[in-house]
Amino acid sequence: MSTPFPFTAVVGQDDLRLALLLNAVSPAVGGVLVRGEKGTAKSTAVRALSALLPEVDVVSGCRFSCDPDSPDPGCPDGPHEPGAFASRPARMVELPVGASEDRLVGALDIERALAEGVKAFEPGLLADAHRGILYVDEVNLLHDHLVDLLLDAAAMGASYVEREGVSVRHAARFLLVGTMNPEEGELRPQLLDRFGLTVEVAASREPDQRVEVVRRRLAYDDDPAGFAARWADEEAAVRARIVAARELLPSVRLGDGALRQIAATCAAFEVDGMRADIVMARTATALAAWAGRTEVLAEDVRQAALLALPHRRRRNPFDAPGLDEDKLDETLEEFGGSDGQDGNGDGDGDDDPDPGPGGGPGGQPEPDDAPEGDGDAAARPEAGEGGEPQPSGGAGEQSPARAAEPFRTKVLSVPGLGEGAAGRRSRARTEHGRTIGARRPRGALTKLHLAATVQAAAPHQRARGRSGPGLVVRRDDLRQASREGREGNLVLFVVDASGSMAARQRMGAVKGAVLSLLLDAYQRRDKVGLVTFRGSAADVALPPTSSVDAAAVRLESLPTGGRTPLAAGLLKAHEVLRVERLRDPARRALVVVVTDGRATGGPEPVALAGRAARLFAAEGTASVVVDCESGPVRLGLAGQLAGELGGTAVTLDELRADSIAALVKDVQGSRRAA
């Protein structure tokens, strides 16, 4: 077994280490989510935590780690005889992102269950993690159905395995710790709320601290055992402090004053539900015990808020995580004294809160308003008489326009039946969904089709010598259920940022529409990509990713101006799709072209754009053109482009209304006609 990196040897990352230690003191806090860029010791710190946890007593021979003082009466290995127990280190169980459902919850032998009525059960990772740590690296990339199982187990403290009327239940109470890189996408709100605390980590910008990080890492890599031995005293001291804090925890008093501060803080930041209040109360109590106190102070409430609230105040994926610390301090001060509102404070929280650094999330200054008018006028100075267009960063470039308020859209789906990653957009064959048929299993059986299995076994009962009431089932009789659900797609936005789109009001509306579609893509678990074209070329502003946050940031800072290289934009998008098919061949694409349809620059720009568009039609790629043309005179070029793509066109106004439902039918109809 490899020697883990010592927890006390981690340089910096004070919030991360504190959040993990508070969960070690009080597992009721509910776990921690660690968000941050790659290479910031997230996984190292989490793996090091398990070595600090006290040993646990378990029933001897129990595969489900039952507590000998209060064994689970429904344990599949029970009933347990009193007295037989053993001690072992607390486990840290890692859940791989690509794990199967059976690996997580356990597997039931369907053949023996049907033929013999025997519940032959092999425990999964949830059973291994009972009374320990369940660690999920890159938790934001976990498949939706595994997230659902985690939510159920975390809510009920138990895992249920159901297979066609045969069920097994076992206790599954664990400390849920997850790490994630926000660049790869956000978590579903339901799972986000299950993490008690969250911390943001980033690499230090201080040269001396970075030098120390490298020095310690190299020393550990050269001699892991020797390096760990040098930190053994520090590790033992922290381990002893955890034990002492656990023993002190039941004696810590959470007074009415501190409770009022907690309730007022959660109300001030408008967090949903009551879980935040409960987590803050448990965290503040753990902070007091960690400090060796029996009274919760205002400083504990403040620190608890900084750890428990940032991930709960986000209303949509475009909200920046974090808290306004000035507002937090004002709330704590207002409700911190014995003269608090309603006269119910008892003075427990009189202590002045620690002064915070102040300042909420910063925002970029509002760009100056530009004169309204036809965006084409802004493009004309860039091009000379038959000369080459100016570079896209030339004098014709305008500062980025602020996006209009996002709005709700209806689904744009890819026609046909796919087999891509689970999601919520287009129809697909999946492991979860409604049953549409049966087939022979390829590999391990995961979803039994009972009727088809019985039908396959029934003709052979006499030949198999059946004599009793039980059905004689062989492995060849088993049938896998074929199911239809929904998949996530790759939504590739191809956005025109040329001079013809540069009128500020128009570009603001365009960005608002794209942000609305990005929000829809987030909710439907899609990957997104962003290609922009302007001046003389097209750029991949964002390669395909699961992070709609990153796409929103790139879109917000998108400058405009110059000619309209429509063909270059389409060809760049075609290349992005070609590469992505090699990486993820099962994920189907939906191309959303946002343009007024004009093509300028170079010889025969319109004909070249048409040829580029027909590449998508020839490959059957689903597409929608969002027509941004405005004004009393309209050329209808976006509609012509949609025809070349084999898709359909919709105006910005139509994107807001119920006409999207008709749009989906048009997309599907045009594909069938093609």
Side-chain angles (χ1 to χ4, degrees):
M1 182 177 179
S2 61
T3 303
F5 192 91
F7 186 86
T8 51
V10 175
V11 178
Q13 308 297 8
D14 295 338
D15 287 344
L16 168 59
R17 292 191 293 167
L18 177 61
L20 292 172
L21 288 170
L22 292 177
N23 276 277
V25 171
S26 176
V29 166
V32 59
L33 173 65
V34 187
R35 298 164 48 94
E37 58 196 31
K38 52 188 175 293
T40 49
K42 300 188 300 292
S43 300
T44 299
V46 174
R47 292 188 174 99
L49 175 67
S50 60
L52 297 178
L53 297 181
E55 290 189 339
V56 295
D57 293 334
V58 298
V59 174
S60 297
C62 178
R63 297 175 297 166
F64 302 88
S65 302
C66 280
D67 186 345
D69 293 332
S70 57
D72 180 9
C75 177
D77 285 354
H80 299 300
E81 295 295 332
F85 72 93
S87 296
R88 62 162 175 77
R91 289 175 180 163
M92 191 194 75
V93 177
E94 296 193 40
L95 173 60
V97 170
S100 66
E101 179 181 337
D102 286 347
R103 184 72 187 97
L104 177 62
V105 300
L108 191 66
D109 192 327
I110 299 298
E111 186 176 358
R112 291 189 63 192
L114 290 176
E116 305 172 27
V118 175
K119 294 182 182 179
F121 181 70
E122 184 65 29
L125 295 177
L126 289 179
D128 293 341
H130 180 46
R131 304 176 65 203
I133 300 173
L134 181 61
Y135 171 51
V136 189
D137 195 12
E138 303 293 349
V139 64
N140 50 328
L141 303 182
L142 200 63
H143 289 174
D144 268 6
H145 68 286
L146 297 183
V147 171
D148 294 335
L149 293 170
L150 273 181
L151 288 174
D152 290 342
M156 297 183 294
S159 174
Y160 291 85
V161 182
E162 302 281 349
R163 292 290 189 273
E164 305 297 342
V166 180
S167 64
V168 172
R169 173 213 164 273
H170 64 83
R173 293 184 296 276
F174 47 82
L175 173 61
L176 183 60
V177 180
T179 59
M180 60 175 283
N181 184 345
E183 294 178 357
E184 293 296 333
E186 285 293 342
L187 281 176
R188 288 168 51 187
Q190 296 94 328
L191 183 57
L192 199 61
D193 191 48
R194 287 294 176 188
F195 287 97
L197 310 179
T198 185
V199 291
E200 299 278 340
V201 296
S204 173
R205 299 299 183 256
E206 293 293 330
D208 290 344
Q209 194 172 76
R210 296 175 73 97
V211 166
E212 186 61 24
V213 170
V214 175
R215 181 182 290 119
R216 293 187 186 182
R217 186 70 212 189
L218 293 177
Y220 170 77
D221 291 341
D222 289 342
D223 183 10
F227 183 81
R230 291 195 292 274
W231 290 88
D233 291 343
E234 289 83 352
E235 293 281 285
V238 172
R239 191 178 298 109
R241 189 175 174 184
I242 292 173
V243 173
R246 284 189 172 188
E247 293 174 351
L248 183 62
L249 187 65
S251 303
V252 176
R253 180 173 178 269
L254 181 66
D256 288 346
L259 278 173
R260 283 178 58 78
Q261 286 183 317
I262 290 170
T265 301
C266 292
F269 287 98
E270 300 180 345
V271 296
D272 294 331
M274 294 298 297
R275 183 173 282 115
D277 303 63
I278 296 171
V279 171
M280 271 191 66
R282 290 171 174 165
T283 305
T285 304
L287 280 162
W290 179 249
R293 289 185 269 102
T294 58
E295 192 82 14
V296 173
L297 304 181
E299 63 193 60
D300 300 323
V301 176
R302 186 182 192 277
Q303 184 64 59
L306 293 175
L307 293 173
L309 296 188
H311 61 302
R312 292 187 165 90
R313 59 164 294 276
R314 301 187 74 191
R315 297 295 178 178
N316 64 62
F318 308 135
D319 291 338
L323 292 182
D324 183 338
E325 295 192 31
D326 281 343
K327 180 178 179 180
L328 173 60
D329 290 336
E330 291 171 3
T331 303
L332 293 176
E333 183 176 358
E334 179 182 355
F335 290 89
S338 59
D339 58 344
Q341 295 181 8
D342 300 331
N344 293 329
D346 62 3
D348 293 325
D350 308 355
D351 302 85
D352 292 333
D354 292 339
Q364 294 184 353
E366 188 87 23
D368 296 332
D369 290 337
E372 298 179 10
D374 188 355
D376 291 325
R380 292 188 190 110
E382 284 199 48
E385 292 290 331
E388 291 296 318
Q390 296 289 331
S392 59
E397 181 176 304
Q398 298 192 20
S399 59
R402 185 172 293 277
E405 189 70 21
F407 52 87
R408 185 177 180 181
T409 68
K410 292 186 178 178
V411 62
L412 301 173
S413 64
V414 177
L417 194 63
E419 294 183 345
R424 295 185 178 88
R425 182 171 297 276
S426 304
R427 295 172 55 226
R429 298 181 183 91
T430 63
E431 289 295 319
H432 301 269
R434 65 186 183 91
T435 301
I436 59 174
R439 59 176 174 80
R440 292 182 181 273
R442 295 189 289 268
L445 178 72
T446 55
K447 296 292 182 181
L448 178 74
H449 194 297
L450 183 58
T453 298
V454 172
Q455 187 176 13
H460 308 291
Q461 296 305 293
R462 180 176 297 179
R464 293 173 183 173
R466 172 183 169 184
S467 58
L471 189 68
V472 181
V473 179
R474 303 279 173 82
R475 183 160 297 276
D476 290 343
D477 302 327
L478 299 179
R479 295 295 183 268
Q480 176 85 18
S482 297
R483 303 194 174 194
E484 180 180 308
R486 293 281 170 177
E487 67 176 359
N489 298 116
L490 167 60
V491 183
L492 182 61
F493 294 93
V494 186
V495 180
D496 184 349
S498 64
S500 64
M501 300 282 289
R504 189 162 300 278
Q505 286 185 341
R506 184 194 299 183
M507 200 61 200
V510 168
K511 288 186 176 181
V514 177
L515 283 176
S516 303
L517 293 169
L518 281 171
L519 180 58
D520 181 69
Y522 163 77
Q523 294 167 339
R524 300 186 186 282
R525 311 298 289 174
D526 294 317
K527 292 179 71 173
V528 296
L530 179 62
V531 172
T532 63
F533 56 96
R534 55 188 287 271
S536 59
D539 297 308
V540 181
L542 183 71
T545 175
S546 297
S547 175
V548 297
D549 286 13
V553 170
R554 302 291 173 87
L555 182 72
E556 192 69 28
S557 60
L558 179 66
T560 55
R563 290 191 172 183
T564 311
L566 178 57
L570 294 175
L571 291 173
K572 181 68 72 174
H574 186 267
E575 175 64 15
V576 169
L577 292 183
R578 185 189 68 80
V579 174
E580 191 63 18
R581 287 192 191 103
L582 298 176
R583 295 174 177 169
D584 193 355
R587 189 181 293 268
R588 298 184 296 162
L590 173 65
V591 177
V592 180
V593 185
V594 185
T595 182
D596 57 9
R598 304 187 186 199
T600 59
E604 299 183 342
V606 176
L608 186 60
R611 289 197 293 271
R614 286 192 289 274
L615 293 175
F616 294 88
E619 295 174 352
T621 304
S623 60
V624 175
V625 178
V626 180
D627 185 358
C628 302
E629 192 174 29
S630 61
V633 179
R634 303 198 178 198
L635 303 179
L637 298 176
Q640 297 177 24
L641 175 63
E644 298 280 7
L645 286 166
T648 190
V650 57
T651 66
L652 285 173
D653 291 337
E654 292 170 339
L655 202 59
R656 290 178 170 271
D658 292 339
S659 56
I660 294 294
L663 169 63
V664 174
K665 295 177 182 178
D666 291 343
V667 172
Q668 296 173 338
S670 63
R671 297 269 20 103
R672 285 193 291 268

